[in-house]
Amino acid sequence: MSSAADPLAPLAGLPGVSDSVDSVRKAVDRVYGHRVMRRRSGEIASEAALRGARGSAALSGADWALEEVRRRTDFGSESQARVVGAALRLTAEAGQLLSIWRQSPMRVLARLHLVASGSTAAPDASAPSAIEGDTVGRPRLAGEPVDEPLIDLPLPSAEEVAGRLDGLSRLIIAGGSSPALITASVVHGELLALRPFGTYNGLVARAAERIVLINSGLDPKAICPAEVGHAEQGAQAYVAAFEGYVSGTAEGMGAWIAHCGRAIELGSRESMAVCEALQRGAA
């Protein structure tokens, strides 16, 4: 698709966005250019996944120390543990869904919600989910509640959710020429704005952002966890930037994209520190 036909192309011209795109590319390239990456990229990716999951869980109300996340094996005992477990499962699952994303993003989103919820069953489109009370793995219906403690903005209607998810799906399937940062920011922001599922919407939105960054080729080895940077900037800054996205203004959209760009840069810096530690033999 040409840039003229790409609906996200105008976002590249917003103030500061071009600088954010360039800065992100340089930050990611620095990590990939580190000498440790040539022989220990798998270890760095595993550590990035762990730290990314910790960061995403922190934004969803489970702000655990990294070593606690690393040490724990029981993630079903209480609410915060369930959030951390969901984040870990999503980070692991994201890499398994890359080939499906561009063909069927809705299938991927359904799978992400199933995984976050701890379910292994595949969603059955023909099953009367609403009658059975099964809300896992499908967008919410009218009147169904949403548990997303960090985001306190009005919920779009179920009808609006369905329409905008369809539009988002078409956008992903069509592809485009926009930089990965812009696409990832829009996917993340749109899912967070819609909160299409009854639970774990923030975790799913950040996992989808991860998938876009990997699939786009910006971060193919998944070593620059944006979730780390989102958490490092803090929940208050995250919500404020997200409100800019929801506003739909040029200034607000630009600020959200810049915030997401900074998150990737901070995630890249985290992995650089891991590379340096491995090089020194300290990790």
Side-chain angles (χ1 to χ4, degrees), residues 48-63:
L50 182 72
R51 294 177 186 225
R54 193 219 73 82
S56 192
L59 286 174
S60 287
D63 191 1

Side-chain angles (χ1 to χ4, degrees), residues 34-196:
H34 197 285
R35 66 177 62 186
V36 170
M37 279 292 297
R38 290 197 294 270
R39 60 187 187 278
R40 304 182 72 174
S41 62
E43 294 173 69
I44 297 162
S46 295
E47 189 65 20
L50 182 72
R51 294 177 186 225
R54 193 219 73 82
S56 192
L59 286 174
S60 287
D63 191 1
W64 287 14
L66 178 62
E67 291 312 312
E68 178 69 5
V69 177
R70 196 191 306 277
R71 180 187 66 82
R72 283 285 288 268
T73 57
D74 173 19
F75 295 104
S77 56
E78 43 86 20
S79 60
Q80 286 199 8
R82 287 194 292 273
V83 169
V84 174
L88 287 166
R89 290 192 298 273
L90 282 173
T91 303
E93 186 74 10
Q96 310 303 313
L97 300 172
L98 301 177
S99 63
I100 306 172
W101 176 251
R102 285 291 293 272
Q103 285 74 44
S104 183
M106 286 306 303
R107 181 180 165 195
V108 170
L109 293 175
R111 177 63 185 172
L112 289 174
H113 191 243
L114 283 164
V115 168
S117 302
S119 174
T120 57
D124 183 353
S126 65
S129 298
I131 297 174
E132 296 173 357
D134 179 14
T135 63
V136 175
R138 65 157 175 80
R140 56 186 167 85
L141 303 177
E144 292 181 342
V146 171
D147 177 19
E148 189 59 48
L150 183 62
I151 305 302
D152 194 28
L153 297 177
L155 279 171
S157 68
E159 183 178 9
E160 182 180 350
V161 168
R164 286 171 63 177
L165 281 177
D166 182 66
L168 184 64
S169 180
R170 290 174 183 272
L171 180 74
I172 294 164
I173 291 169
S177 59
S178 293
L181 169 61
I182 293 177
T183 305
S185 299
V186 169
V187 168
H188 182 172
E190 191 69 358
L191 291 173
L192 203 57
L194 295 177
R195 282 151 287 165

Side-chain angles (χ1 to χ4, degrees), residues 257-283:
I257 294 169
H259 182 90
C260 292
R262 182 59 179 157
I264 300 168
E265 290 181 57
L266 290 170
S268 301
R269 187 179 71 180
E270 185 93 349
S271 286
M272 277 292 289
V274 172
C275 288
E276 291 294 326
L278 287 171
Q279 184 168 280
R280 295 191 307 268

